Amino acid sequence: MAEAAITASDGLWQQVRSEAQRAADTDPVFGKALATAILAHNDFAAALADLIGQRLGSGSAGRTRFTSYSRDAFRGEPDLIETASRDLQAIARRDPAIADLLPPLLHYKGYVALQAWRVSNWLWRHDHHDAALLFQNEASNLLQISIHPAASIGSSVYLDHATGIVIGANVVIGDEVTILQSVSIGRRGELPTRSPRIGRGVYIGGGATILGDINIGDFAKIGAGTVVTGDVPAGCTAIGNPARLTNCPKPASAA
């Protein structure tokens, strides 16, 4: 898998570099920033590690620390770069406001926060819990996105706008999920505490809250401002507070 990941990310990296070179040729002032952020690097992993360091680090020491952790994660698990590539391509597919890869890479904080989480999750799985929680804390402080390192998130995930997203420990999120701003996903107060499981291709609208030991089925939709505390079957739309189900592919009880 690692060899395939390197091949896929190399193709994406060449596209990003081409976009950066064209932008630099068009705008020499912006080109200086592009030279540092993109053109100075040999591969996608190096550029992404540097981007994470720049966004999370305060001062040169902080930037170096976060960049170094990120490089270690990408070297230790090259599939992280394949996943990062898929996340970036997912934005280009789903966001009608863009057509290229460079703008979301450089300017979409949801993207860099998600990749910083992937590093924190790698650290968490390798028993570097303090470093992992440092990533979560700085992403929360600087990007207003808090994802616990012990969550599980698939690939081709898009955090759209992203401000105010909170994802708790042990939440499971599948591939191809889109999450808008001010979404909270986590446990309820009762014991035993268990977290939601979000299926593939789910769309979660702004301000939604999903709590407890529940399943959100594949390709379900959660409307803006909806509060979900029960299962949502695959393909259904949940709306309101408390959530009610609509547009289900077959009859289903209310969430």
Side-chain angles (χ1 to χ4, degrees):
M1 182 64 181
E3 183 178 352
I6 293 171
T7 301
S9 63
D10 280 351
L12 176 136
W13 175 239
Q14 292 307 314
Q15 182 177 343
V16 168
R17 281 187 62 89
S18 295
E19 292 178 19
Q21 190 62 64
R22 289 197 302 270
D25 292 342
T26 302
D27 185 345
V29 175
F30 184 44
K32 294 179 181 179
L34 289 172
T36 300
I38 303 297
L39 300 175
H41 297 291
N42 293 326
D43 56 31
F44 186 42
L48 185 56
D50 185 63
L51 177 63
I52 292 170
Q54 293 295 326
R55 296 300 294 268
L56 295 191
S58 299
S60 60
R63 290 191 292 271
T64 298
R65 180 185 305 114
F66 285 106
T67 299
S68 178
Y69 279 132
S70 300
R71 287 175 176 165
D72 289 346
F74 297 152
R75 282 194 295 263
E77 191 171 329
D79 283 354
L80 292 175
I81 293 301
E82 167 69 3
T83 303
S85 302
R86 291 177 179 174
D87 292 336
L88 190 59
Q89 291 167 329
I91 299 174
R93 287 195 304 269
R94 294 181 214 162
D95 190 339
I98 64 164
D100 297 323
L101 298 174
L102 184 63
L105 174 61
L106 293 180
H107 306 304
Y108 282 30
K109 69 176 184 177
Y111 178 76
V112 71
L114 180 57
Q115 307 321 311
W117 171 81
R118 296 197 186 283
V119 174
S120 78
N121 177 252
W122 182 85
L123 291 165
W124 187 269
R125 290 185 282 110
H126 288 80
D127 295 325
H128 302 301
H129 290 183
D130 288 338
L133 291 170
L134 177 64
F135 268 76
Q136 180 191 8
N137 182 68
E138 292 308 297
S140 179
N141 287 339
L142 299 172
L143 303 176
Q144 295 82 52
I145 302 165
S146 179
I147 310 175
H148 196 280
S152 175
I153 302 177
S155 66
S156 299
V157 171
Y158 179 21
L159 306 184
D160 190 5
H161 298 290
T163 297
I165 289 176
V166 177
I167 299 173
N170 303 317
V171 170
V172 176
I173 296 175
D175 297 338
E176 301 173 14
V177 170
T178 298
I179 303 175
L180 272 70
Q181 69 277 2
S182 302
V183 165
S184 295
I185 307 173
R187 300 174 293 181
R188 298 179 70 178
E190 69 272 12
L191 296 174
T193 56
R194 295 188 178 92
S195 299
R197 296 162 296 281
I198 312 297
R200 178 183 178 187
V202 172
Y203 178 92
I204 305 175
T209 300
I210 302 172
L211 299 175
D213 182 15
I214 63 174
N215 291 294
I216 309 299
D218 293 349
F219 303 104
K221 294 181 174 63
I222 310 300
T226 298
V227 177
V228 183
T229 57
D231 291 347
V232 177
C236 288
T237 298
I239 57 173
N241 180 12
R244 64 184 188 277
L245 300 181
T246 184
N247 296 332
C248 290
K250 59 183 180 179
S253 58

